[in-house]
């Protein structure tokens, strides 16, 4: 069988402009080769910076943000598309090869109706008439399980949910009947419960239309469900390339093995959960414009332990963190810290009360002043809470840097000079500098690659053992909850669904929502998706 | 957000939890009306939730009217605070205290300022700006003619400059960092840097004096036909176009370039669309709001800021009228001109605001 896509010895470069240095040329991808046959799916997997998106886009002869494809061949049906001129490549893009972006919310034009955008490529390439294209879009909306397929195309991007947009993006890619689709992390930005729907819809649509696909993701468990072959990438080079079965079940390389077996962090649940450092009682909260976000939420956290709050986006978990810090005063209910009721609003709290509760954010980038060095960032709480200056302050910053396993050579670096994991570590050090008793962690690892996230979790666990700090850990990732929590609170639409010790919350009998949540987490097992979908169908048939 | 795909499992819900508003840029007006209730309060608040677009527009209208009143107060107060007065200027050498007192009495200047303000405002609302102290004619009548002339000039300047600026801006984006873009940039920079009177004199020198293809001065009379008027204003219009063109063009270019780096333009590019279609269909609609604002600012300038050009070309417009009135301290005329200029400024900016709101699909099509 002839190859549909054959990539040979690809080399991609980009020019980077580090601050205060002459521009330098960086090699992003080197010596990558693979073949893809008609109707097959190849998974490209690796951490951020591994070059997977860059490789995916090379199938459209496109270099994002100054990337240049400088070597190798990309043969589509035997023709090297890298040699085509601008108008030649435009007959390939959107007709033979289509692209599904990670964030459909950003990739759809807010000014036009979804339907018009979905059929645009088919029309502009003269592949079908307007009526035919509309018929095809309708068919695809149905296949992808979008609600009210007849009228779905009349809506604007902001009028539908994130999961629906991601499916609409897939419909847009499938509409011109392409031979190949590049999926660039299509489910990464979605909640687990939504991810499984979109994943199933994509898989179904690919099978239905016999389209080949490059599926890019950092989640091995996801790619195991959908691809025939897997290529593991790291630093722009191929680590391992084989069938899905071989890579998942018998990985040859150490790096692949590490990816397959991440999430080693483990904390046994504390036996005694009776005390309460933090106690939240019947809290209601909402925003000034009348939206009520939290409804009667109560939970507590003993000293030195970890309370994990799980839920999908919109469940109110971050709002709860804002209520605890005092940024958003609750409309009803009370919060007790170490036996004393906390003033509701930030303004009413004393410096010491502020010091005892610190916070770590999901995006370490945006939570740090880009114009301050690590020394200033970590030093700020030292002078603010303890009045430290000069050599004493520097000593303490160095100590903290040691604690987060980074060392004094980072003292005068700016955030832009740190990796994602290092930034999050500095954020942790900044929180630690205040010697807090409670740290609120708002999805601190969800923007990080699995191996880096693993390192952060281990660090947090170690710090907990050393300093007996308590954590409120907000996450949507059940695996993290299993790894580090003592007690768990499941939230859904602003209400507490389930609360208690981890062993109890995460074992049956379940309520419906927790059951759905747990079953939606992808497992590193081939055929897991089909199995879940089968049980769901049986359950709904049983109803 | 409820997923209603085929595989949606059981969910625990009672449907009352709202989500935080998505458009944080529109203070106080949620992008999504909340149908489940919890919105009580006044009629206005309910209205805001049910018809966010209409509410926003009404809000802008109300603000504009309020602003206009504030401006009228400031104009009146400012003129009140000016040193010197009409009577002394008018009488010149023969300004005996008694004569000054008489004139002040005649003009009603002896009454308290609040009373005079209310009188003036009451008249202005009805379109009556009183009589000129200098010529004893009705201010409204005189201004009517002058305003017509000013608008005539501004209209043709706008008619040429706005499409030209937007078109050139799009062209500059299409040829970004290549020759056409650079040429457009250099010329527009030059035009923006030269003072308008200088451009005016240059045009007069070449077109009127050396080549004799244009008329100068650009004075228009009642007896002139439409085509005669057009040929009379050719040079001032050209000057104004050159002055406002660069600003609008550069903003159009910047706004579209900003949008060009967004993910949906990449999507369009990966659909294999041509550059011009990407700019016109995918980038331009999203660059409308900032461009409209700049256009409104420049249109306002065409009406309000043309004093210099009118003087250079001896064109009988509002600007010249106001300058003349200031020199003789003819306060009713100055006040009227000030208020009309302010009204134009506020109206055009309000129109830009409302158009920008209407251009936002999130507001035009609430969820």
């Amino acid at each position: 069988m002839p190859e549909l896509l054959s990539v040979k010895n690809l080399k991609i470069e980009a020019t980077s402009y580090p601050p205060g240095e002459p521009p330098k040329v960086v090699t992003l991808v080197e010596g990558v080769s693979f073949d893809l046959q008609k109707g097959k799916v190849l998974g490209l997997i690796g951490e951020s910076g591994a070059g997977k998106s860059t490789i995916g886009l090379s199938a459209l002869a496109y270099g994002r943000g100054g990337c240049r494809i400088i070597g190798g061949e990309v043969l589509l049906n035997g023709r090297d598309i890298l040699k085509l001129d601008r108008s030649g490549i435009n007959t390939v893009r959107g007709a033979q090869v289509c692209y599904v972006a990670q964030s459909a919310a950003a990739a759809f034009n807010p000014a036009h109706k979804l339907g018009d955008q979905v059929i645009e490529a088919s029309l502009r390439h003269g592949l079908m008439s307007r009526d035919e294209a509309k018929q095809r879009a309708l068919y695809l909306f149905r296949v992808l399980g979008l609600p009210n397929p007849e009228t779905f195309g009349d809506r604007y991007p902001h009028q539908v949910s994130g999961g629906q947009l991601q499916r609409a993006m897939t419909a847009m890619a499938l509409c011109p009947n392409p031979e190949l689709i590049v999926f660039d992390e299509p489910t990464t930005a979605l909640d687990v419960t939504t991810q499984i729907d979109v994943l199933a819809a994509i898989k179904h649509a690919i099978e239905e239309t016999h389209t080949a696909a490059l599926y890019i993701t950092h989640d091995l468990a996801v790619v195991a469900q959908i691809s025939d072959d897997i290529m593991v990438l790291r630093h722009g080079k191929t680590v391992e390339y084989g069938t899905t079965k071989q890579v998942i079940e018998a990985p040859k390389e150490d790096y692949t093995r590490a990816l397959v077996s991440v999430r080693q962090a483990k904390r046994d649940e504390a036996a005694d959960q009776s005390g309460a450092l933090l106690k939240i009682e019947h809290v209601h909260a909402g925003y000034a414009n009348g939206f009520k976000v939290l409804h009667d939420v109560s939970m507590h956290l003993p000293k030195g332990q970890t309370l994990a709050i799980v839920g999908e986006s919109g469940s109110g978990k971050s709002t709860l963190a804002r209520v605890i810090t005092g940024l958003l005063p609750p409309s009803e209910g009370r919060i007790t810290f170490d036996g004393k009721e906390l003033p509701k609003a930030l303004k009413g709290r004393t410096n010491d009360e502020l010091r005892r509760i610190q916070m770590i954010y999901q995006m370490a980038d945006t939570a740090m002043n880009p114009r301050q060095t690590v020394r200033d960032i970590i030093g700020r709480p030292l002078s603010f809470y303890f009045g430290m200056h000069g050599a004493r302050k520097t000593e303490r910053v160095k100590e903290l840097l040691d604690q987060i396993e980074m060392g004094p050579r980072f003292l005068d670096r700016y955030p832009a000079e740190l990796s994602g994991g290092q930034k999050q570590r500095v954020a942790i050090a900044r929180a630690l500098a205040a010697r807090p008793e409670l740290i609120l962690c708002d999805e601190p690892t969800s923007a990080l690659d699995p191996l880096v996230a693993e390192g952060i979790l281990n660090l947090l666990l170690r710090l907990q053992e050393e300093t007996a700090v308590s954590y409120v850990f907000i996450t949507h990732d059940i695996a993290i909850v299993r790894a580090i929590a003592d007690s768990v609170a499941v939230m859904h639409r602003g209400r507490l669904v389930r609360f208690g010790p981890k062993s109890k919350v995460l074992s049956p009998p379940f309520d419906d929502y927790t059951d759905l949540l747990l079953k939606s987490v992808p497992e590193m097992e081939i055929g897991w998706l089909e199995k879940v979908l089968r049980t769901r169908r049986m359950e709904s048939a049983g109803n | 957000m409820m997923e209603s795909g085929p595989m949606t499992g059981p969910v625990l819900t009672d449907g009352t939890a709202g989500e935080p508003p998505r458009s944080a840029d529109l203070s106080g007006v949620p992008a999504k009306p909340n149908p489940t209730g919890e919105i009580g309060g006044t009629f206005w608040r309910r209205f805001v939730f049910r018809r966010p677009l209409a509410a926003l527009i009404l809000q802008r209208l109300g603000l504009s009217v309020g602003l206009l009143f504030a401006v009228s107060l400031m104009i009146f107060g400012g003129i009140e605070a000016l040193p010197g007065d009409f009577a002394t200027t008018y009488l010149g050498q023969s300004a005996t205290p008694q004569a000054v007192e008489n004139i002040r009495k005649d003009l009603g200047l002896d009454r308290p300022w609040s009373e005079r303000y209310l009188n003036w405002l009451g008249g202005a609302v009805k379109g009556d700006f009183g009589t000129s102290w200098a010529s004893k004619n009705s201010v409204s009548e005189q201004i009517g003619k002058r305003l017509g002339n000013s608008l005539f000039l501004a209209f043709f300047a706008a008619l040429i400059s706005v499409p030209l600026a937007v078109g050139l801006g799009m062209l500059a984006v299409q040829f970004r960092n290549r020759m056409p873009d650079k040429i457009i940039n250099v010329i527009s920079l030059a035009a923006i840097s030269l003072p308008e009177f200088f451009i005016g004199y240059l045009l007069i020198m070449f077109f009127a004096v050396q080549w004799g293809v244009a008329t100068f001065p650009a004075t228009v009379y009642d007896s002139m036909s439409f085509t005669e008027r057009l040929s009379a204003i050719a040079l001032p219009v050209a000057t104004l176009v050159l002055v406002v063109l660069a600003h609008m063009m550069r903003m159009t270019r910047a706004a579209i370039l900003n949008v060009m780096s967004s993910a949906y333009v990449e999507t369009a590019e990966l659909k294999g669309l041509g550059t011009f279609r990407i700019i016109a269909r995918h980038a331009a609609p999203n660059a409308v709001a900032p461009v409209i604002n700049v256009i409104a600012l420049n249109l306002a300038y065409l009406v309000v800021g043309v004093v210099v050009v009118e003087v250079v070309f001896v064109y009988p417009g509002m600007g010249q009228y106001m300058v003349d009135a200031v020199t003789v301290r003819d306060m009713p005329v100055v006040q009227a001109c000030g208020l009309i200029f302010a009204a134009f400024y506020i109206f055009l900016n309000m129109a830009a605001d409302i158009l920008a709101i209407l251009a936002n699909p999130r507001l035009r099509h609430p969820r």
Side-chain angles (χ1 to χ4, degrees):
Chain A
M1 197 171 174
E3 313 293 350
L4 169 67
L5 178 75
S6 184
V7 170
K8 287 186 181 139
N9 217 3
L10 195 64
K11 185 169 183 188
I12 301 175
E13 280 185 357
T15 313
S16 80
Y17 300 89
E21 282 171 57
K24 59 181 177 200
V25 175
V26 200
T27 306
L28 296 178
V29 174
E30 200 172 8
V32 170
S33 307
F34 58 84
D35 296 311
L36 185 60
Q37 289 175 343
K38 244 178 141 40
K40 295 279 181 194
V41 179
L42 169 66
L44 295 178
I45 169 150
E47 304 175 3
S48 58
K52 27 186 217 306
S53 292
T54 313
I55 294 171
L57 286 168
S58 71
L60 295 111
Y62 184 80
R64 180 185 278 163
C67 293
R68 291 180 310 276
I69 304 172
I70 56 156
E73 291 177 323
V74 178
L75 303 173
L76 186 71
N77 290 322
R79 182 171 66 145
D80 189 354
I81 59 169
L82 297 182
K83 295 210 170 72
L84 296 176
D85 62 0
R86 169 93 199 186
S87 59
I89 194 63
N90 275 354
T91 61
V92 173
R93 291 179 186 164
Q96 288 175 278
V97 188
C98 290
Y99 180 73
V100 176
Q102 172 170 1
S103 168
F108 270 111
N109 192 325
H112 299 294
K113 289 178 182 171
L114 287 169
D116 292 341
Q117 299 191 55
V118 166
I119 62 173
E120 185 179 20
S122 313
L123 295 186
R124 300 305 297 182
H125 291 293
L127 299 171
M128 36 188 111
S129 72
R130 180 167 280 271
D131 282 341
E132 282 166 357
K134 277 190 174 161
Q135 282 306 315
R136 172 137 179 97
L138 182 61
Y139 161 76
L140 290 168
F141 289 158
R142 284 214 179 92
V143 171
L144 288 159
L146 284 162
N148 308 321
E150 288 81 13
T151 55
F152 185 80
D154 293 333
R155 310 178 78 179
Y156 282 84
H158 68 274
Q159 293 175 316
V160 307
S161 73
Q164 289 168 2
L165 269 185
Q166 208 68 49
R167 277 181 266 175
M169 183 105 202
T170 308
M172 184 156 85
L174 282 166
C175 188
N177 256 322
E179 293 169 90
L180 172 68
I181 298 184
V182 178
F183 289 96
D184 195 351
E185 309 234 16
T187 63
T188 306
L190 303 175
D191 287 317
V192 273
T193 48
T194 317
Q195 165 173 293
I196 187 168
D197 289 346
V198 174
L199 210 55
I202 288 176
K203 192 178 164 95
H204 177 60
I206 292 177
E207 281 168 3
E208 192 88 340
T209 54
H210 306 291
T211 312
L214 280 179
Y215 197 99
I216 297 163
T217 175
H218 66 267
D219 192 339
L220 202 49
V222 165
V223 87
Q225 309 311 319
I226 210 156
S227 63
D228 301 294
D229 292 329
I230 290 180
M231 173 178 269
V232 183
L233 294 154
R234 192 180 197 197
H235 306 319
K237 296 201 178 81
T238 310
V239 174
E240 190 162 353
Y241 179 30
T243 63
T244 300
K245 194 171 165 57
Q246 179 255 309
V247 172
I248 300 284
E249 289 172 4
K252 287 187 203 128
E253 300 293 322
D254 288 345
Y255 180 70
T256 317
R257 267 196 289 278
L259 276 185
V260 173
S261 61
V262 285
R263 291 184 184 135
Q264 303 279 312
K266 199 78 198 169
R267 177 180 161 86
D268 293 324
E269 177 182 317
D272 178 22
Q273 300 196 3
S274 54
L277 174 71
L278 176 76
K279 205 163 167 187
I280 300 166
E281 291 167 285
H282 306 290
V283 160
H284 294 248
Y287 289 96
N289 55 30
F291 286 113
K292 249 187 119 177
V293 183
L294 293 178
H295 304 260
D296 194 17
V297 174
S298 304
M299 56 187 77
H300 66 269
L301 165 64
K303 204 172 170 53
Q305 296 189 12
T306 302
L307 163 64
I309 304 179
V310 259
E312 27 192 285
S313 55
S315 63
K317 46 193 199 309
S318 293
T319 306
L320 184 59
R322 287 170 61 85
V323 169
I324 297 172
T325 55
L327 287 169
L328 180 73
S331 54
E332 281 172 59
R334 54 191 216 144
I335 296 167
T336 321
F337 187 77
D338 204 9
K340 244 178 68 195
E341 186 174 342
L342 279 179
K344 282 182 178 170
L346 198 61
K347 268 189 285 182
R349 298 189 184 178
T350 64
N351 261 0
D352 199 52
E353 280 167 339
L354 294 178
R355 179 190 64 77
R356 294 167 77 179
I357 303 179
Q358 294 293 317
M359 192 149 180
I360 306 170
Y361 302 87
Q362 175 173 5
M363 293 289 168
D365 294 44
T366 50
M368 278 185 223
N369 187 337
R371 302 258 171 210
Q372 288 188 342
T373 59
V374 168
R375 181 202 299 266
D376 298 330
I377 291 169
I378 303 180
R380 173 73 188 142
L382 293 175
S383 32
F384 181 73
Y385 290 119
F386 307 110
M388 284 190 193
H389 289 292
R392 233 178 101 228
K393 185 161 115 181
T394 307
E395 260 330 286
R396 179 74 183 123
V397 172
K398 280 187 189 158
E399 253 176 65
L400 285 162
L401 279 174
D402 279 339
Q403 259 188 313
I404 57 165
E405 299 153 8
M406 276 174 70
R409 70 199 164 90
F410 288 95
L411 264 182
D412 293 308
R413 300 265 189 103
Y414 287 93
E417 300 169 89
L418 303 174
S419 71
Q422 287 167 341
K423 275 183 228 172
Q424 199 54 277
R425 279 170 194 261
V426 171
I428 292 171
R430 176 173 64 180
L432 278 183
R435 296 189 187 276
E437 284 152 63
L438 172 67
I439 300 182
L440 304 174
C441 311
D442 191 354
E443 307 240 15
T445 56
S446 56
L448 301 173
D449 292 313
L451 292 177
V452 180
E454 179 81 5
I456 298 284
L457 289 181
N458 280 326
L459 173 68
L460 287 171
L461 287 180
R462 208 197 75 221
L463 293 172
Q464 187 164 46
E465 267 164 38
E466 286 170 11
T467 63
V469 64
S470 309
Y471 296 126
V472 168
F473 200 99
I474 293 166
T475 181
H476 63 266
D477 189 340
I478 300 288
I480 293 180
V481 176
R482 285 212 169 91
I484 64 160
D486 295 295
S487 51
V488 181
V490 181
M491 293 195 58
H492 184 54
R493 298 184 169 230
R495 286 171 200 275
L496 189 65
V497 177
R498 212 170 157 88
F499 171 68
K502 173 169 66 177
S503 54
K504 247 190 171 146
V505 169
L506 297 185
S507 47
F510 291 122
D511 56 280
D512 289 347
Y513 179 69
T514 311
D515 191 41
L516 173 73
L517 197 62
L518 292 179
K519 277 194 188 147
S520 303
V521 181
E523 280 171 33
M524 199 102 53
E525 178 192 318
I526 298 165
W528 165 83
L529 183 63
E530 283 85 354
K531 207 168 74 191
V532 175
L533 295 178
R534 231 180 1 255
T535 16
R536 279 205 195 172
R537 267 198 291 277
M538 272 153 60
E539 275 170 10
S540 59
N543 289 341
Chain B
M1 249 176 276
M2 269 282 290
E3 278 293 322
S4 25
M7 269 86 55
T8 300
V11 277
L12 252 173
T13 171
D14 61 359
T16 46
E19 47 180 10
R22 295 180 78 180
S23 52
D25 52 333
L26 300 155
S27 49
V29 179
K32 174 189 164 193
N34 189 341
T36 52
E38 292 191 30
I39 307 300
T42 60
F43 169 77
W44 174 246
R45 249 191 104 180
R46 283 201 304 274
F47 183 70
V48 164
F49 273 90
R50 216 165 299 138
R51 310 284 306 275
L53 189 62
L56 268 176
I57 291 175
L58 277 179
Q59 199 186 353
R60 292 297 189 281
L61 284 170
L63 277 175
S64 302
V65 172
L67 201 56
L68 200 53
F69 273 102
V71 167
S72 75
L73 202 60
M74 280 171 68
I75 290 174
F76 197 87
I79 284 169
E80 227 22 55
L82 278 181
D85 77 353
F86 174 73
T88 351
T89 321
Y90 181 70
L91 292 170
Q93 296 281 333
S94 56
T96 62
Q98 187 55 44
V100 170
E101 198 49 43
N102 282 342
I103 287 187
R104 286 181 62 87
K105 209 166 204 148
D106 272 1
L107 299 175
L109 289 175
D110 51 342
R111 285 176 296 154
W113 75 270
S114 55
E115 193 188 323
R116 279 183 288 131
Y117 171 70
L118 288 178
N119 253 341
W120 172 66
L121 194 65
V125 168
K126 284 180 277 178
D128 172 19
F129 289 101
T131 46
S132 160
W133 293 348
S135 67
K136 309 290 179 205
N137 286 331
S138 156
V139 175
S140 311
E141 217 166 86
Q142 283 182 307
I143 280 188
K145 213 183 295 165
R146 297 282 189 140
L147 185 62
N149 285 345
S150 275
L151 289 181
F152 187 69
L153 188 63
F155 174 77
F156 281 99
L159 198 67
I160 296 172
S161 62
V162 172
L164 197 62
V166 173
L168 281 178
M170 282 161 109
L171 205 68
V173 172
Q174 183 161 11
F175 295 99
R176 180 180 1 159
N177 296 336
R178 283 189 281 158
M179 224 5 124
D181 181 28
K182 284 180 184 161
I183 292 173
I184 292 173
N185 258 322
V186 167
I187 292 180
S188 67
L189 248 183
I192 220 172
S193 318
L194 290 176
E196 52 205 279
F197 66 84
F198 188 67
I199 296 181
Y201 286 134
L202 276 184
L203 291 180
I204 291 168
M205 188 171 102
F206 286 109
F207 287 92
V209 179
Q210 293 207 342
W211 301 330
V213 289
T215 16
F216 177 81
T219 319
V220 291
Y221 308 99
D222 289 346
S223 54
M224 280 175 133
S225 73
F226 184 69
T227 41
E228 278 170 332
R229 278 168 190 257
L230 277 191
S231 90
I233 64 166
L235 286 187
V237 163
T239 312
L240 286 174
V241 166
L242 282 176
V243 169
V244 295
L245 184 70
H247 189 204
M248 287 193 281
M249 184 239 112
R250 293 174 80 84
M251 280 306 291
T252 307
R253 180 180 181 273
I256 293 181
L257 272 186
N258 187 24
V259 174
M260 288 299 276
S261 60
S262 62
Y264 51 80
V265 168
E266 185 183 273
T267 307
E269 217 164 319
L270 292 177
K271 276 181 183 173
L273 306 181
T275 315
F276 191 75
R277 185 174 170 86
I278 293 176
I279 294 174
R281 178 156 172 90
H282 288 276
N286 294 294
V288 159
V291 173
I292 284 180
N293 268 316
V294 179
I295 289 179
L297 216 60
N298 282 289
L299 290 186
Y301 170 82
L302 285 179
V303 179
V304 175
V306 293
V307 181
V308 177
V309 172
E310 283 181 3
V311 171
V312 167
F313 287 96
V314 203
Y315 185 80
M318 282 273 281
Q320 224 189 15
Y321 188 45
M322 186 175 177
V323 172
D324 292 346
V326 169
T327 49
V328 296
R329 300 212 156 63
D330 191 351
M331 293 318 164
V333 176
V334 177
Q335 284 168 0
C337 289
L339 195 65
I340 287 169
F341 282 158
F344 262 99
Y345 211 83
I346 291 171
F347 169 78
L348 281 168
N349 277 293
M350 177 194 76
D353 249 18
I354 290 177
L355 282 177
I357 290 169
L358 287 175
N360 185 340
R362 285 174 192 278
L363 290 167
R364 218 171 20 182
H365 308 278
R367 297 162 68 79

